[in-house]
Amino acid sequence: GDRRAAGAPQDGVRHDMSVWVRLADDPPGPVARLLPDLPAGRLTDGVVTLRRLAPDDADALYRLHTLPEVVANRVPPAPPTRDWAERRCHLAEHHWLAGRAADLAVLDATTGGFAGGCALFYDEPSTGQAMLGYSLLPEARGRGFASRAVRLVTDWAFDIGLARLWAGTREENVASRRVLEKAGFRREGLLRGRLPGPDGTRVDSVLHAVLATDRPAGPAR
Ligand SMILES: CC(C)(COP(=O)(O)OP(=O)(O)OC[C@H]1O[C@@H](n2cnc3c(N)ncnc32)[C@H](O)[C@@H]1OP(=O)(O)O)[C@@H](O)C(=O)NCCC(=O)NCCS
């Protein structure tokens, strides 16, 4: 788990400690990772490339998450601080190692430029279910990047053994619903008042999901 501010102060700042424990009667050998590293450190289809979010992405991530249309999809729907963006980028490797989230930068495979973010939150390891979220910078939209990124992450998630991925969208977010549909997600229902909205309101969320067994049978990827 995490021990908040338990680390010795460095330059006057106390850091959280991530705690790992091994017991004498634990089985020998390394523990299986819930979220293994990406093959060769990235996923790509030649058009988009996904790699783990890194500290250098903080500026771009902050810009992305302060766009009004991205803020509208945040929980709660409020812009983050710059500090939040830095922390999220710095902790991405830790969260991956701990099996909590695969937090990814979406890059234009041709230029290598930051196009957006896509994150798999492993919210229910006991049942093999994870949630997907994504957003793109405005200049990267309308080129199929989001659909490609979601497809790549979905295939990877099923390759590493997850059983079910889900994502929620607001009903009016037609682009996002289409992205999911193109990656094989199906609409499963409407979750009424699922998310906190502006000014104390609640917002409905359309539930979409795709199962590992929805994929066409074929040779292992
Ligand atoms: C959602 C988002 C990632 C989609 O990005 P994008 O670049 O449009 O995605 P893609 O190009 O991969 O595909 C979008 C699909 O939706 C369609 N689409 C986009 N806007 C649409 C609209 N207003 N009405 C109908 N279809 C629309 C596109 O035509 C495309 O489908 P097609 O390939 O069949 O033509 C982007 O709009 C975004 O970052 N929005 C803000 C954050 C957000 O909403 N994130 C998701 C939270 S659930």
Side-chain angles (χ1 to χ4, degrees):
D2 291 333
R3 296 181 61 211
R4 295 168 55 223
Q10 288 170 2
D11 300 327
V13 179
R14 295 188 69 96
H15 293 274
D16 294 352
M17 292 284 280
S18 165
V19 183
W20 301 77
V21 174
R22 187 172 181 104
L23 304 183
D25 57 356
D26 278 342
V31 177
R33 295 261 305 269
L34 281 175
L35 295 172
D37 290 332
L38 298 179
R42 62 197 201 126
L43 302 172
T44 189
D45 62 2
V47 176
V48 292
T49 296
L50 282 76
R51 56 145 173 83
R52 192 180 62 226
L53 206 62
D56 282 352
D57 296 321
D59 281 337
L61 192 77
Y62 181 60
R63 194 182 138 219
L64 179 67
H65 279 262
T66 47
L67 294 166
E69 68 277 22
V70 176
V71 170
N73 291 289
R74 288 174 53 83
V75 181
T81 61
R82 165 74 217 206
D83 202 44
W84 169 90
E86 256 175 48
R87 220 176 130 67
R88 179 154 170 179
C89 292
H90 271 95
L91 290 179
E93 186 171 8
H94 163 60
H95 285 152
W96 199 306
L97 191 61
R100 277 185 224 159
D103 211 351
L104 297 147
V106 179
L107 312 177
D108 179 329
T110 310
T111 64
F114 185 97
C118 183
L120 177 149
F121 300 98
Y122 205 173
D123 55 346
E124 227 185 274
S126 59
T127 63
Q129 294 188 63
M131 187 199 87
L132 274 193
Y134 44 84
S135 45
L136 292 185
L137 290 171
E139 61 269 26
R141 293 183 197 156
R143 295 156 66 188
F145 282 11
S147 312
R148 287 173 177 275
V150 169
R151 219 175 293 132
L152 283 166
V153 176
T154 300
D155 282 345
W156 172 72
F158 293 149
D159 283 346
I160 64 167
L162 274 70
R164 178 180 149 93
L165 294 179
W166 68 274
T169 66
R170 286 176 301 133
E171 185 80 77
E172 66 272 24
N173 198 342
V174 185
S176 185
R177 283 175 29 218
R178 180 79 187 121
V179 164
L180 293 169
E181 195 178 87
K182 287 175 71 180
F185 284 65
R186 295 189 206 166
R187 180 184 173 121
E188 291 192 335
L190 183 73
L191 304 174
R192 294 181 309 130
R194 156 101 170 100
L195 299 170
D199 306 320
T201 56
R202 300 290 299 185
V203 176
D204 296 346
S205 177
V206 182
L207 173 65
H208 307 259
V210 62
L211 308 185
T213 50
D214 289 339
R215 288 205 299 183
R221 288 158 210 254

